[in-house]
Amino acid sequence: LARAAPSRDRIVERYWLARLFCLRGEPGKGLEQVRSALEEAGRFPDPEVDAPLQILHGRLLLDAREMRRLGPALREIQRVLQAGSDPDDRLEAAALLLEASSFPRSPYSSPGPPALLEGIRREASSASQGRWALARGRAEKGDPGGANLGAFLEARELALRSHDLSLEAEALWELFQKGSFPALPPEESWRVAAYLTENRIRGPLR
């Protein structure tokens, strides 16, 4: 037990470093951190950290377009969707699977029946619901009717509700790409700009 706590601390620290690199648009560096964390997590299994690590690993592989490695990672993530898992983990795993399945000629299947996903969504936090909305919008980018605009607006609203600045910045970026960037109140504009600057985010969010 004396060795487990420091190990868990290292895993959690690497997880957050990997997330930061993900936000900065540096998936390669993020993958280095998350793979070290997964290796250590294999020696000290902990359900509370295993699922978020696997989901982040898949997200970084998708962002890096490492499609050959994505398949095995998605098979690991499928375990997260089993009944009894944390609703936030299940919904964020489903969001990743949805995005992966939307790629042209993708070999990956959609995350599950709509009724099941709606049940998971209702149980999840506002932040995870927002990431699900982002995934829906990204998966519908090829829709000429622009159905994804509503998903991105929903993601931004859920980001504001949950005070999740990373989600808010991503939703605003997608709205900007759609030519639908909203007029921001000064407080929100300052808050997002400060978040991007303090975290030295250099990817497309800037």
Side-chain angles (χ1 to χ4, degrees):
L1 289 177
R3 293 176 58 199
S7 177
R8 191 180 196 275
D9 289 345
R10 285 194 300 272
I11 293 168
V12 171
E13 180 182 355
R14 286 177 176 143
Y15 169 84
W16 286 109
L17 282 171
R19 280 200 63 172
L20 184 58
F21 283 125
C22 182
L23 290 169
R24 289 179 181 175
E26 299 179 86
K29 292 182 179 179
L31 282 167
E32 290 177 13
Q33 294 294 331
V34 81
R35 284 167 180 159
S36 295
L38 284 168
E39 183 179 345
E40 189 146 10
R43 296 195 297 270
F44 298 91
D46 185 337
E48 288 187 13
V49 298
D50 180 57
L53 273 176
Q54 295 290 355
I55 294 166
L56 181 57
H57 185 215
R59 165 61 54 194
L60 287 160
L61 288 170
L62 187 63
D63 288 351
R65 300 298 186 263
E66 292 196 21
M67 308 309 281
R68 289 184 180 178
R69 294 180 177 178
L70 182 59
L74 290 178
R75 285 192 289 274
E76 286 294 314
I77 289 167
Q78 288 280 8
R79 296 185 296 105
V80 175
L81 292 173
Q82 295 174 357
S85 298
D86 179 81
D88 287 341
D89 291 337
R90 296 175 74 195
L91 191 60
E92 295 199 26
L96 178 61
L97 288 164
L98 178 63
E99 283 192 59
S101 68
S102 70
F103 275 63
R105 299 183 297 278
S106 171
Y108 310 119
S109 59
S110 60
L116 171 65
L117 295 170
E118 178 58 21
I120 297 171
R121 189 194 67 80
R122 285 197 301 267
E123 295 178 8
S125 67
S126 294
S128 292
Q129 289 181 33
R131 291 191 173 84
W132 172 246
L134 268 183
R136 288 193 350 256
R138 288 166 175 164
E140 295 167 355
K141 274 190 173 179
D143 180 359
N148 59 348
L149 177 60
F152 294 142
L153 290 169
E154 179 186 350
R156 183 200 173 204
E157 179 60 33
L158 288 161
L160 292 170
R161 190 184 306 171
S162 61
H163 307 288
D164 189 318
L165 285 168
S166 66
L167 174 61
E168 184 177 357
E170 288 188 77
L172 289 171
W173 168 246
E174 297 290 356
L175 289 168
F176 172 77
Q177 287 190 302
K178 291 283 294 181
S180 300
F181 195 84
L184 301 182
E187 299 82 5
E188 184 179 358
S189 180
W190 176 88
R191 187 171 62 245
V192 173
Y195 167 77
L196 296 174
T197 300
E198 288 169 6
N199 290 286
R200 294 182 291 160
I201 294 173
R202 293 288 182 269
L205 296 180
R206 289 301 297 268

